[in-house]
Structures are given as C-alpha cells and as structure tokens.
Amino acid sequence: MIREFRLPDLGEGLTESEILSWRVAEGQSVTLNQVIAEVETAKAVVELPSPFEGVVARLHESVGSVVEVGSPIISFDVADPAGTSVPAGTAPVEDAPRRQPTLVGYGAEPDKAGRPARRPRPGLSAQPAPASPVPPVPAPAPAPVPVAPDAVAAGNVEVMPDRPRSTPPVRKLARDLGIDLAGISGSGPEGRILRADVEAAIGSRDDPGMQAGAQPVVADAPHLGQGREERVPIAGIRKHTAAAMVASAFTAPHATVFLTVDVTPSMNLLEKLRARKEYDGVRLTPLVLAAKAVCLALRRHPGLNARWDEAAREIIRYRYVNLGIAAATPRGLMVPNIKDAQELGLRELALAISDLARTAREGRTPPAALSGGTVSISNVGVFGVDAGTPILNPGEAVILALGAVRNQPWEYEGGIALRQVTTLSLSFDHRLVDGAEGAAFLRDIGDVLGEPAMVLAMD
C-alpha cells in the first residue's frame, strides 16, 4: 500500500521547514528509522527518520523547497500488516492506531490495542496473530498517487503528470533565477534538463533582442552571481532572522546604555585559571566571565529577567536564566540558549558555551535550544567591534553586547597606565525596564568584570 509521510511539527510550533538534502531516492528500499532527509527549521538542521519500512515511491519535494508542516514530502510503498505486498494504489486500512513521530525516530507499528508490536528476537519464532473475528471495513479509495515504475507497470494506479526531469541542484538553480522548468526543453539523456539549459534560458529571458520562441545563441553561458545583479531568495535562516528582528524592533521600545570598563583584573584572572589543572581543555574567554556576571547581576535585578505579555496584559518574571549566546555560523546568526545557566559554575558555564558554539557551527542545534531564552549576550568583540546597539530577541527584556578588549591609556591609581579596556552595551525593553534599572544592572556587570572579587560583596 502507498503511505504518505507529511512534514511533522519538529517542535515549538514551527510552521515550515526547508529541504536541505534527500538521503534516499525513488525506488530505494528503506528501513524503519533510517534517515531519509535533512531539513532546516528555525535555524536548526534536523534529520528526519523514516516512519515506514518499504520502498520510496515518490519524493514530493525537491532540495531547497520550503514546505509547510502537514504537507506530504515522501510516499512509501509498504507491505500490509500481514506482511504481504499490497498492489500500489490500493486503499490502506486506517482502523489500526498509527505510530507517532518523534525527533529521534518512530516506534514499531502498534497492535490494535495501541501497544507497540515487538519484533521477534533472533532464534525465536513469533506467535501467529489470532484471526480477527470481524472483517475490516474497507476504507474509501484515496486520490491517485504517483508511484514507482513497477507499480505503474502493474496497471493498477493512475499516473499523474511528471514534473520536468532534472536534478535537485538544477531545480534549485531554476527556482533561484525565477525560471519555469516546464517551459524548457532538456538537452540531456531522455530529455533531462541540464544546468546549461537553465543558463541558456536566462540568456533568452534577459536579451531584449531575442524573439519569442527563438533559440538563444550563448557563447559563454552566464553563471549565477555574474552580471550586474543577483537575486537571492529570502529563505532559511535569513528569513527567520528577519522576521524575528522586525517583530522585536517594532514591538518593544528599545533603549541602550553604554559602559566602558577596565577589565585588566578579569583578564589576569583568566590567565591564572588557565594554569589550573581543573581548567585543562576548557576554553576561558571574556565571554565566559561576562556570562557569569550577567547571571550574578540578575540576582540583584530580577525585574530584568522578564517578558511583556501583551495579550494577557501581564509581566512574566522568570525565576531561572536561559542564557542566549549569539553565534555567527556558516548558515547565519543563531541565538541558542543555555538552560538554567544560573545554576552553573564558571567551569560548567565555559563548557556549555563551547558546546553551544560548536553545535551551532555544525548545524546541529536542536529547535528546543533556540527557544525559551530569557536574556542574551552578543559578543561583537570577536569581530573587532567596540560597541553597538543590539536588537532584543523577541520575548526578552535585555541583551548585552560585549565589545573588543583593547590596550588603552587609562587612569589608574592616580596616574595614566596602559590597561585592558572594553565597552559594554545594554539594550532593554523600555516597557519593562526604566533607565535607572538598566543603568544599575549594567553597572553591576561592569563591577564584576572590573574587579571579580566584587562578587563577594554582591547579595
């Protein structure tokens, strides 16, 4: 029977995902929980496991497609519950409980009581299932579904028109350039549309001297990115980032305060800690100290660890700190957060930040890590930037930007000395935070970074 797999909600109410790659092809046999595709949603890359064991009948979407949750992405030709193959196109019986998808895979097909059926262990014979006293009621026949060539040859399925024959990279190129493949004649084997065909179509479209239906003459076919303009579709991380920043900028009234701090004592502390055995292999940076300082300062200013709920007309104050760390990755800006960061010591916090950054760069950040943040830090200093006015993450009241640490002449002990100095920038939601509160919070962070021993006086 033909079973469709629809894109599931991969967590946190996400509405769509982009197909990054297919790990299977039409006509290929797959096993339960075998990875069939990689999708990107809310800046995270997630591997989709197969919910069925059978043969891939159809890939409904190409690489690069943005698919809404609930839309079919792949169809399988699977065996019926008795283990015999059912002719493709036959209506499946849907009176048995379905398996429920999870982020880590799918359980075995449940029995009629709703319990997952156990597979027989090697060397043990499975007991035959008792015959059902009541014959199953046939389900209504579904709409025709395009299937594998062997099913078509059997003559028991209606074939829908095929999409133009091409490879996923060629389809993505055509989509990026706004070219309809249906209007292109392929020059490849069996009429397959090649990259050169798409590039030739670009020359035809952009050349005002070409007559309708005339074949373009292309000496050197242009490539994507050449020419005076390039059009890039708004999708993936850029799309999510833009939506979040617009929502934040036009919802929360932003205000920003700045503080320049002599962090020489903190830099000396980091050097001493790096020499200690318990910190072997731990990456200690000014960001780690800033993260700890933020958690400490929130104890004295809990009102900044909050969210404005416009619909409920309430201010929600958190009794925990999910600390977001802005990370620049090959896919774009991401802000995963460390859950319950207020419970972590300096070493654990350093390890968590390193793991967070590595996972983000590798594209393995789970969707849950990208939601639920309460306060964030953006380390603009790694780019050589001194200060900025960071935009709040939606649902958060404050965000700290940590500037570059530079050697500068500074007033010190009644004279001028060369000291290590940085600038802190704090943006806050002025509906939740008054200027005095924001300034006091930033001052406490500066005190910890300027003299780490100050934590002993903070309660």
mmCIF file of all heavy atoms in Angstrom, residues 192-217:
data_model
loop_
_atom_site.group_PDB
_atom_site.id
_atom_site.type_symbol
_atom_site.label_atom_id
_atom_site.label_comp_id
_atom_site.label_asym_id
_atom_site.label_seq_id
_atom_site.Cartn_x
_atom_site.Cartn_y
_atom_site.Cartn_z
ATOM 1 N N ARG A 192 16.336 15.090 -20.093
ATOM 2 C CA ARG A 192 16.640 15.678 -18.791
ATOM 3 C C ARG A 192 17.163 17.107 -18.965
ATOM 4 O O ARG A 192 17.981 17.374 -19.836
ATOM 5 C CB ARG A 192 17.674 14.829 -18.061
ATOM 6 C CG ARG A 192 17.987 15.328 -16.640
ATOM 7 C CD ARG A 192 19.036 14.455 -15.989
ATOM 8 N NE ARG A 192 18.584 13.084 -15.857
ATOM 9 C CZ ARG A 192 17.863 12.634 -14.826
ATOM 10 N NH1 ARG A 192 17.503 13.469 -13.866
ATOM 11 N NH2 ARG A 192 17.506 11.369 -14.765
ATOM 12 N N ILE A 193 16.665 18.015 -18.121
ATOM 13 C CA ILE A 193 17.078 19.419 -18.171
ATOM 14 C C ILE A 193 18.399 19.567 -17.433
ATOM 15 O O ILE A 193 18.534 19.170 -16.280
ATOM 16 C CB ILE A 193 16.004 20.323 -17.544
ATOM 17 C CG1 ILE A 193 14.689 20.198 -18.322
ATOM 18 C CG2 ILE A 193 16.469 21.776 -17.523
ATOM 19 C CD1 ILE A 193 13.542 20.947 -17.692
ATOM 20 N N LEU A 194 19.371 20.147 -18.107
ATOM 21 C CA LEU A 194 20.699 20.329 -17.546
ATOM 22 C C LEU A 194 20.895 21.773 -17.097
ATOM 23 O O LEU A 194 20.107 22.665 -17.440
ATOM 24 C CB LEU A 194 21.773 19.960 -18.579
ATOM 25 C CG LEU A 194 21.655 18.567 -19.218
ATOM 26 C CD1 LEU A 194 22.753 18.380 -20.252
ATOM 27 C CD2 LEU A 194 21.708 17.488 -18.157
ATOM 28 N N ARG A 195 21.984 22.002 -16.351
ATOM 29 C CA ARG A 195 22.315 23.361 -15.924
ATOM 30 C C ARG A 195 22.485 24.285 -17.126
ATOM 31 O O ARG A 195 22.039 25.442 -17.096
ATOM 32 C CB ARG A 195 23.600 23.340 -15.085
ATOM 33 C CG ARG A 195 24.151 24.733 -14.738
ATOM 34 C CD ARG A 195 25.410 24.615 -13.908
ATOM 35 N NE ARG A 195 25.102 24.189 -12.559
ATOM 36 C CZ ARG A 195 24.833 25.028 -11.550
ATOM 37 N NH1 ARG A 195 24.815 26.339 -11.778
ATOM 38 N NH2 ARG A 195 24.589 24.571 -10.351
ATOM 39 N N ALA A 196 23.099 23.785 -18.189
ATOM 40 C CA ALA A 196 23.301 24.610 -19.382
ATOM 41 C C ALA A 196 21.969 25.046 -19.989
ATOM 42 O O ALA A 196 21.862 26.149 -20.538
ATOM 43 C CB ALA A 196 24.130 23.846 -20.413
ATOM 44 N N ASP A 197 20.939 24.196 -19.886
ATOM 45 C CA ASP A 197 19.628 24.564 -20.420
ATOM 46 C C ASP A 197 19.038 25.730 -19.637
ATOM 47 O O ASP A 197 18.433 26.641 -20.210
ATOM 48 C CB ASP A 197 18.683 23.359 -20.364
ATOM 49 C CG ASP A 197 19.193 22.188 -21.188
ATOM 50 O OD1 ASP A 197 19.792 22.439 -22.252
ATOM 51 O OD2 ASP A 197 18.987 21.039 -20.763
ATOM 52 N N VAL A 198 19.192 25.694 -18.307
ATOM 53 C CA VAL A 198 18.687 26.790 -17.471
ATOM 54 C C VAL A 198 19.460 28.067 -17.762
ATOM 55 O O VAL A 198 18.890 29.155 -17.878
ATOM 56 C CB VAL A 198 18.785 26.419 -15.976
ATOM 57 C CG1 VAL A 198 18.355 27.595 -15.107
ATOM 58 C CG2 VAL A 198 17.934 25.192 -15.679
ATOM 59 N N GLU A 199 20.782 27.958 -17.903
ATOM 60 C CA GLU A 199 21.588 29.137 -18.179
ATOM 61 C C GLU A 199 21.256 29.726 -19.539
ATOM 62 O O GLU A 199 21.254 30.947 -19.727
ATOM 63 C CB GLU A 199 23.070 28.766 -18.094
ATOM 64 C CG GLU A 199 23.501 28.399 -16.664
ATOM 65 C CD GLU A 199 24.891 27.799 -16.598
ATOM 66 O OE1 GLU A 199 25.372 27.331 -17.657
ATOM 67 O OE2 GLU A 199 25.489 27.791 -15.515
ATOM 68 N N ALA A 200 20.957 28.853 -20.491
ATOM 69 C CA ALA A 200 20.563 29.347 -21.808
ATOM 70 C C ALA A 200 19.228 30.071 -21.732
ATOM 71 O O ALA A 200 19.013 31.077 -22.419
ATOM 72 C CB ALA A 200 20.478 28.182 -22.794
ATOM 73 N N ALA A 201 18.335 29.562 -20.887
ATOM 74 C CA ALA A 201 17.037 30.218 -20.729
ATOM 75 C C ALA A 201 17.194 31.600 -20.112
ATOM 76 O O ALA A 201 16.452 32.527 -20.430
ATOM 77 C CB ALA A 201 16.112 29.360 -19.871
ATOM 78 N N ILE A 202 18.193 31.769 -19.228
ATOM 79 C CA ILE A 202 18.476 33.090 -18.654
ATOM 80 C C ILE A 202 18.878 34.051 -19.754
ATOM 81 O O ILE A 202 18.421 35.196 -19.824
ATOM 82 C CB ILE A 202 19.587 32.987 -17.598
ATOM 83 C CG1 ILE A 202 19.035 32.358 -16.329
ATOM 84 C CG2 ILE A 202 20.162 34.346 -17.270
ATOM 85 C CD1 ILE A 202 18.060 33.225 -15.600
ATOM 86 N N GLY A 203 19.747 33.595 -20.652
ATOM 87 C CA GLY A 203 20.166 34.459 -21.756
ATOM 88 C C GLY A 203 18.998 34.851 -22.629
ATOM 89 O O GLY A 203 18.911 35.983 -23.108
ATOM 90 N N SER A 204 18.074 33.937 -22.847
ATOM 91 C CA SER A 204 16.899 34.238 -23.666
ATOM 92 C C SER A 204 15.990 35.236 -22.987
ATOM 93 O O SER A 204 15.452 36.145 -23.605
ATOM 94 C CB SER A 204 16.134 32.944 -23.964
ATOM 95 O OG SER A 204 14.938 33.214 -24.653
ATOM 96 N N ARG A 205 15.823 35.072 -21.660
ATOM 97 C CA ARG A 205 14.912 35.953 -20.934
ATOM 98 C C ARG A 205 15.455 37.358 -20.826
ATOM 99 O O ARG A 205 14.720 38.338 -20.911
ATOM 100 C CB ARG A 205 14.669 35.385 -19.525
ATOM 101 C CG ARG A 205 13.683 36.185 -18.701
ATOM 102 C CD ARG A 205 13.653 35.682 -17.271
ATOM 103 N NE ARG A 205 14.913 35.969 -16.584
ATOM 104 C CZ ARG A 205 15.132 35.668 -15.311
ATOM 105 N NH1 ARG A 205 14.219 35.045 -14.606
ATOM 106 N NH2 ARG A 205 16.296 35.962 -14.751
ATOM 107 N N ASP A 206 16.777 37.474 -20.602
ATOM 108 C CA ASP A 206 17.363 38.785 -20.345
ATOM 109 C C ASP A 206 17.783 39.526 -21.597
ATOM 110 O O ASP A 206 18.169 40.684 -21.531
ATOM 111 C CB ASP A 206 18.585 38.629 -19.426
ATOM 112 C CG ASP A 206 18.186 38.120 -18.058
ATOM 113 O OD1 ASP A 206 16.986 38.236 -17.728
ATOM 114 O OD2 ASP A 206 19.065 37.611 -17.343
ATOM 115 N N ASP A 207 17.749 38.862 -22.769
ATOM 116 C CA ASP A 207 18.179 39.516 -24.011
ATOM 117 C C ASP A 207 16.967 40.110 -24.714
ATOM 118 O O ASP A 207 16.122 39.390 -25.238
ATOM 119 C CB ASP A 207 18.860 38.497 -24.924
ATOM 120 C CG ASP A 207 19.444 39.165 -26.164
ATOM 121 O OD1 ASP A 207 19.230 40.374 -26.336
ATOM 122 O OD2 ASP A 207 20.105 38.459 -26.952
ATOM 123 N N PRO A 208 16.785 41.457 -24.690
ATOM 124 C CA PRO A 208 15.603 42.059 -25.309
ATOM 125 C C PRO A 208 15.550 41.841 -26.806
ATOM 126 O O PRO A 208 14.499 41.992 -27.422
ATOM 127 C CB PRO A 208 15.739 43.552 -24.952
ATOM 128 C CG PRO A 208 17.211 43.760 -24.743
ATOM 129 C CD PRO A 208 17.720 42.481 -24.162
ATOM 130 N N GLY A 209 16.670 41.475 -27.436
ATOM 131 C CA GLY A 209 16.668 41.288 -28.876
ATOM 132 C C GLY A 209 16.184 39.919 -29.308
ATOM 133 O O GLY A 209 16.013 39.665 -30.492
ATOM 134 N N MET A 210 15.961 39.021 -28.365
ATOM 135 C CA MET A 210 15.512 37.684 -28.718
ATOM 136 C C MET A 210 14.028 37.699 -29.037
ATOM 137 O O MET A 210 13.234 38.276 -28.310
ATOM 138 C CB MET A 210 15.778 36.720 -27.548
ATOM 139 C CG MET A 210 17.251 36.440 -27.314
ATOM 140 S SD MET A 210 18.040 35.630 -28.710
ATOM 141 C CE MET A 210 17.099 34.119 -28.771
ATOM 142 N N GLN A 211 13.637 37.027 -30.107
ATOM 143 C CA GLN A 211 12.234 36.917 -30.472
ATOM 144 C C GLN A 211 11.623 35.733 -29.735
ATOM 145 O O GLN A 211 12.299 34.775 -29.377
ATOM 146 C CB GLN A 211 12.091 36.711 -31.988
ATOM 147 C CG GLN A 211 12.649 37.852 -32.797
ATOM 148 C CD GLN A 211 11.888 39.138 -32.575
ATOM 149 O OE1 GLN A 211 10.671 39.111 -32.424
ATOM 150 N NE2 GLN A 211 12.589 40.260 -32.541
ATOM 151 N N ALA A 212 10.325 35.803 -29.516
ATOM 152 C CA ALA A 212 9.639 34.726 -28.826
ATOM 153 C C ALA A 212 9.824 33.426 -29.592
ATOM 154 O O ALA A 212 9.592 33.355 -30.784
ATOM 155 C CB ALA A 212 8.146 35.044 -28.695
ATOM 156 N N GLY A 213 10.227 32.391 -28.886
ATOM 157 C CA GLY A 213 10.400 31.076 -29.486
ATOM 158 C C GLY A 213 11.736 30.886 -30.162
ATOM 159 O O GLY A 213 12.042 29.793 -30.625
ATOM 160 N N ALA A 214 12.564 31.929 -30.292
ATOM 161 C CA ALA A 214 13.859 31.790 -30.951
ATOM 162 C C ALA A 214 14.845 31.114 -30.009
ATOM 163 O O ALA A 214 14.795 31.290 -28.797
ATOM 164 C CB ALA A 214 14.387 33.160 -31.375
ATOM 165 N N GLN A 215 15.755 30.352 -30.557
ATOM 166 C CA GLN A 215 16.765 29.675 -29.750
ATOM 167 C C GLN A 215 17.922 30.630 -29.493
ATOM 168 O O GLN A 215 18.514 31.158 -30.436
ATOM 169 C CB GLN A 215 17.270 28.432 -30.491
ATOM 170 C CG GLN A 215 18.272 27.603 -29.696
ATOM 171 C CD GLN A 215 17.623 26.942 -28.496
ATOM 172 O OE1 GLN A 215 16.419 26.743 -28.493
ATOM 173 N NE2 GLN A 215 18.410 26.643 -27.479
ATOM 174 N N PRO A 216 18.278 30.884 -28.219
ATOM 175 C CA PRO A 216 19.359 31.811 -27.921
ATOM 176 C C PRO A 216 20.709 31.244 -28.332
ATOM 177 O O PRO A 216 20.929 30.034 -28.317
ATOM 178 C CB PRO A 216 19.285 31.980 -26.401
ATOM 179 C CG PRO A 216 18.661 30.720 -25.908
ATOM 180 C CD PRO A 216 17.701 30.297 -26.992
ATOM 181 N N VAL A 217 21.589 32.141 -28.729
ATOM 182 C CA VAL A 217 22.959 31.759 -29.051
ATOM 183 C C VAL A 217 23.835 32.233 -27.897
ATOM 184 O O VAL A 217 23.936 33.433 -27.643
ATOM 185 C CB VAL A 217 23.416 32.391 -30.373
ATOM 186 C CG1 VAL A 217 24.866 32.016 -30.665
ATOM 187 C CG2 VAL A 217 22.499 31.947 -31.499
#
